[in-house]
Amino acid sequence: MSIELLAPAGEKEAFLAAVKAGANAVYLGATALNARAGAGNFDRETLVWATEYAHERDVRVHVTVNTMVKEGEMSLVDDVAEQLALCGADAAIVQDLGVAARLHRLLPSLSLHASPQMAIHNAQGAQFALDAGFSRAVLAREMNLEEIAECADTGIEIEVFGHGALCVSCSGQCLFSSLVGGRSGNRGQCAQPCRLPYHLEGAVRAQGYLLSTKDLMTLDSLVQLREAGVASLKLEGRLKRPEYVYAVTSAY
């Protein structure tokens, strides 16, 4: 079994870099309802262009619709659904169960992938996603190989992060940016305060980047991931430059 290599694209140049570097699929955001509001993202016209460009080269396109959506914003879901239908996207990555239900009703043939923002950490969560109509679960970054294999045994396709930044909190559960700056990561606006230097005072004293985690790198673990049943290896980086996207995608 081969593993899909899924590369990030925050804007057009990064998208081209991902495809040219050999990605089997690219994930990107429309201009609304995606968890990287700070990326360039893709409007209606560039989304159609990107999907056509990718499909001509046998590359799939997964569109992120992975923020929480409030009742007064559901019309935006309809707009995004129209864009997905127009461009012929291969899948939508979704956090909000209400959004998933809406997309499934509007676009019944569209594949739905359960976003890591759904915080699926166990086989029960993977089974729930499968029963809810998702064809794939993007697992939380904190899981080990045994836990991943148990999720794969449910029969749902499994996608895991293989490279890039790790969240200081459990995937999908961080409120740090929201509490200290009013910018919610679950609304696509994380300011990444965990990356800043801090001073720790008290019984233990320390200073530096105390909350900034080391990046994930699985180049030496690809065989184990395949044996665990991973169907797709996701490279983090929709806020990264095209040069980074090309280098990392090429390596994997």
Side-chain angles (χ1 to χ4, degrees), residues 27 30 48 58 62 64 70 81 104 112 120 126 190 193 201 204 211-212 218 227:
Y27 67 102
V48 170
D58 197 28
H62 304 170
T64 57
K70 298 182 179 181
H104 185 65
L112 297 177
I120 296 176
C190 181
E201 302 289 343
V204 176
L211 299 176
S212 185
T218 62
E227 291 174 347

Side-chain angles (χ1 to χ4, degrees), residues 22-36:
N24 304 119
V26 180
Y27 67 102
L28 49 83
T31 51
L33 307 183
N34 82 83
R36 291 292 182 270

Side-chain angles (χ1 to χ4, degrees), residues 28 45 54 64 69 98 104 117 132 134 164 175 193 219 226 229 237:
L28 49 83
E45 181 179 336
T64 57
V69 178
H104 185 65
Q117 266 72 31
F134 291 91
L175 295 176
L219 271 175
R226 183 176 62 189

Side-chain angles (χ1 to χ4, degrees), residues 1-5 24 222-223 225-227 230-233:
M1 182 187 75
S2 60
I3 300 179
E4 172 189 79
L5 180 58
N24 304 119
L222 298 180
V223 173
L225 288 168
R226 183 176 62 189
E227 291 174 347
V230 171
S232 179
L233 189 77

Side-chain angles (χ1 to χ4, degrees), residues 95 115-122 138-143 147 161 165-176 185-186 190 194 211 213:
Q95 171 189 187
S115 166
Q117 266 72 31
M118 285 187 68
I120 296 176
H121 289 78
N122 49 49
V138 190
L139 298 182
R141 295 169 173 87
E142 300 81 32
M143 297 175 66
E147 293 166 337
F161 278 92
L166 288 167
C167 186
V168 69
S169 180
C170 289
S171 291
Q173 304 299 300
C174 189
L175 295 176
F176 193 6
N186 285 321
C190 181
C194 56
L211 299 176
T213 59

